[in-house]
Amino acid sequence: MTTLHGVPTAGSRTARRVRHALWAAPALALITVFVYYPVVENVRLSLLKFSVFQPGTRYVGLDNYRQAFSDPVFWKALVNNLLFAVTSVTVQVGAALVLAALLEELVGRRLGGLLRTLYVVPAAVSMTVAGLLFQFLYQRDAGLVNSLLGGVGLDSWQRDWLGQPDTAIWGVIGMSQWQSFGYTTMLLTVAVQRIPRELYEAAYVDGAGRVRTFFTVTVPMVRQMTTLLVILTVSGAFLVFNEVMVMTGGGPSNSSQVLGTWLYASAFTGDDMGYAAAIGTVMFVLTFAAGAAQLYYSRRKAVEA
């Protein structure tokens, strides 16, 4: 007998736990092999100096990290990643939430569906194709951006957007926002649609306007979705690679380098594998810390609410 008066015995509970463990074992094995082991191995490699063209390794301890923290290109890349993160959170989460609320509140159901479809189209475009497209848009002589500026009398604003150190990274960031904005808007629209309409009606009865209702009803009720999107957006900002490689390659003069491209250049151009592994470890620590901090903040706000 596995139960006594309808209550599971210790033997039945143990058997159930064993079955659950067996079901979870394949997933845990895959995560261990493809996630945890590479992370640990990368940390080990970051303590070594070695080359892919020569046998042998040399233990150097934290020298690779000291090299990174004294490398001006590393700091430039880190700043560019931070610019990516701040801009992406502002546009892809903040502005997207405002647009999602407007679509639900002010636009009809049919037109809203059409607009959501149009917004999500850029997300279906290959990153490489989008990067090449924006290269043409940013061209100094034949690009659409400079043509539009000239057409409205802003000739002094025309420039080689991807060829100047002070604008190259912003050109890449602009392309990234264009591609991802619609997708996050669609996800937030779904979250807004799940908010009970009674909450909005109660807010309006209490005399709240649209702006106050947005901050007191919409924002708190979609906190779980915004938390997820912030984590994904910040992680994506620190792992960005394809956009920069396609559009600028990190130039001009390393002005648009990000950690991912500088890692690639250090490993496969500079043949400094240990230094590249140290950069990878820094990227992991930053993304993990950002995600953990956001989860802690979200749970704290949920408890206070």
Side-chain angles (χ1 to χ4, degrees), residues 211-222:
V211 175
R212 184 177 178 183
T213 301
F214 173 78
F215 285 104
T216 58
V217 177
T218 304
V219 173
M221 293 300 293
V222 298

Side-chain angles (χ1 to χ4, degrees), residues 92 122-123 127 175-185 243:
Q92 297 179 31
M127 183 64 70
M175 186 279 292
S176 180
Q177 307 314 305
W178 169 83
Q179 187 172 48
S180 303
F181 178 75
Y183 180 71
T184 56
T185 300
E243 299 96 313

Side-chain angles (χ1 to χ4, degrees), residues 48-50 64 67 265-277:
L48 307 174
K49 280 288 185 182
F50 63 99
N64 288 321
Q67 179 182 347
S266 301
F268 299 107
T269 302
D271 191 30
D272 195 346
M273 293 295 177
Y275 179 50

Side-chain angles (χ1 to χ4, degrees), residues 93 222-232 294-295 298:
V93 181
V222 298
R223 181 175 290 120
Q224 288 185 340
M225 179 60 74
T226 54
T227 299
L228 174 62
L229 288 178
V230 167
I231 293 174
L232 294 177
Q294 181 59 29
L295 284 175
S298 177

Side-chain angles (χ1 to χ4, degrees), residues 2-164:
T2 59
T3 62
L4 182 61
H5 302 296
V7 178
T9 63
S12 65
R13 288 195 296 268
T14 301
R16 186 170 63 251
R17 290 172 182 172
V18 170
R19 289 196 300 269
H20 292 170
L22 290 176
W23 279 108
L28 292 175
L30 291 174
I31 292 174
T32 300
V33 172
F34 293 106
V35 178
Y36 298 128
Y37 171 73
V39 170
V40 174
E41 180 66 8
N42 186 79
V43 173
R44 185 186 72 84
L45 293 176
S46 70
L47 305 176
L48 307 174
K49 280 288 185 182
F50 63 99
S51 168
V52 295
F53 301 107
Q54 298 177 357
T57 60
R58 179 167 58 90
Y59 178 78
V60 295
L62 299 178
D63 285 356
N64 288 321
Y65 295 95
R66 297 189 186 97
Q67 179 182 347
F69 296 145
S70 62
D71 183 359
V73 180
F74 170 85
W75 289 108
K76 181 63 176 178
L78 179 58
V79 169
N80 287 338
N81 279 111
L82 290 173
L83 292 176
F84 249 104
V86 172
T87 306
S88 298
V89 170
T90 302
V91 175
Q92 297 179 31
V93 181
L97 178 57
V98 173
L99 180 59
L102 289 175
L103 285 175
E104 283 303 302
E105 189 69 21
L106 302 178
V107 180
R109 186 172 297 276
R110 291 185 178 181
L111 181 58
L114 175 62
L115 291 176
R116 285 193 294 271
T117 301
L118 295 176
Y119 290 147
V120 81
V121 167
V125 179
S126 165
M127 183 64 70
T128 302
V129 173
L132 294 174
L133 171 64
F134 271 75
Q135 273 189 327
F136 290 120
L137 294 179
Y138 287 137
Q139 282 185 354
R140 180 179 181 84
D141 298 323
L144 181 61
V145 174
N146 282 341
S147 297
L148 289 175
L149 292 174
V152 296
L154 297 176
D155 299 67
S156 61
W157 288 24
Q158 293 178 335
R159 63 195 66 209
D160 185 5
W161 296 96
L162 298 180
Q164 295 184 0

Side-chain angles (χ1 to χ4, degrees), residues 164-216:
Q164 295 184 0
D166 58 337
T167 58
I169 188 62
W170 291 108
V172 179
I173 291 175
M175 186 279 292
S176 180
Q177 307 314 305
W178 169 83
Q179 187 172 48
S180 303
F181 178 75
Y183 180 71
T184 56
T185 300
M186 182 188 67
L187 295 178
L188 288 168
T189 300
V190 174
V192 171
Q193 289 175 341
R194 297 176 60 184
I195 300 175
R197 302 307 302 176
E198 294 82 1
L199 297 179
Y200 289 104
E201 295 171 0
Y204 294 145
V205 168
D206 290 340
R210 295 186 186 278
V211 175
R212 184 177 178 183
T213 301
F214 173 78
F215 285 104
T216 58

